[in-house]
Amino acid sequence: MCLQVEELLKEFDNVCTLRVRMPISSDLNNPRNFITKISRYNKVVNIPNSMTVLDELLPISIEMAKRNLRGIWNFTNPGVVSHNEILEMYRDYINPEFKWANFTLEEQAKVIVAPRSNNEMDASKLKKEFPELLSIKESLIKYAFEPNKKT
C-alpha cells in the first residue's frame, strides 16, 4: 500500500515524502514510542535497524518545508541500532534492574500477528542536507535517554 501511494506521489513535483522508521521520542510513557514498546516485551530479536528520533528530526522537517525540499527522503538518523543496544541504554540510563531475553526470528514469527521488516535505510541524502544530524546512537542518548536519566 505505502509503495503504491509513494509511486502516485512521485507524479507531483511539489511533494516531500518522509520515510519514518520505528519512531522514538523523549516521552518514554508514550505507548507508541519504540523504546516504550520494546521495554515492555519479555523477549526481543537482536537485529540492527534504522530508526527515527522524533525530537531531533521533527524540527528538521519544518526546515525542509521552509527550504521547499521535495522528493522521497529516508527520514531516519544515520546508522543502525539493535534492540539489545537500546535496552542496554534503557538499563544504564533509566532502570538498572531492567532485564530482557532474546529470541530468534523464527521464534518471533510464531508469536507476532504481522511480519516485521528489519533494515538499514540510507540517510546520506538527509545527512548531506543537514550535516549536524546525529547518528542514531548519539541521538538516542541526547534526546531520549539523557533527558529521562534516573539518578
Side-chain angles (χ1 to χ4, degrees), residues 21-22 43-49 83 101-119:
R21 184 117 169 79
M22 297 182 182
K43 290 183 173 183
V44 298
V45 291
N46 188 31
I47 297 176
N49 276 286
H83 293 50
N102 290 122
F103 57 11
T104 65
L105 283 172
E106 293 76 20
E107 292 169 323
Q108 180 195 42
K110 293 175 185 174
V111 297
I112 61 173
V113 176
R116 302 287 187 255
S117 66
N118 297 293
N119 60 53

Side-chain angles (χ1 to χ4, degrees), residues 48-113:
N49 276 286
S50 290
M51 300 186 191
T52 302
V53 178
L54 297 171
D55 297 63
E56 180 176 17
L57 287 167
L58 287 179
I60 287 176
S61 69
I62 294 167
E63 182 59 29
M64 291 175 80
K66 288 178 181 175
R67 294 184 192 180
N68 202 24
L69 297 178
R70 299 172 179 158
I72 296 169
W73 296 76
N74 291 335
F75 206 58
T76 62
N77 291 82
V80 293
V81 64
S82 72
H83 293 50
N84 278 11
E85 288 173 308
I86 290 176
L87 293 175
E88 286 165 7
M89 288 182 218
Y90 184 84
R91 181 195 59 215
D92 294 347
Y93 284 88
I94 309 301
N95 179 358
E97 306 299 314
F98 185 77
K99 293 182 179 20
W100 70 96
N102 290 122
F103 57 11
T104 65
L105 283 172
E106 293 76 20
E107 292 169 323
Q108 180 195 42
K110 293 175 185 174
V111 297
I112 61 173
V113 176

Side-chain angles (χ1 to χ4, degrees), residues 136-147:
I136 184 59
K137 293 173 191 172
E138 293 171 318
S139 192
L140 280 167
I141 291 167
K142 179 176 180 177
Y143 292 100
F145 290 115
E146 280 291 338

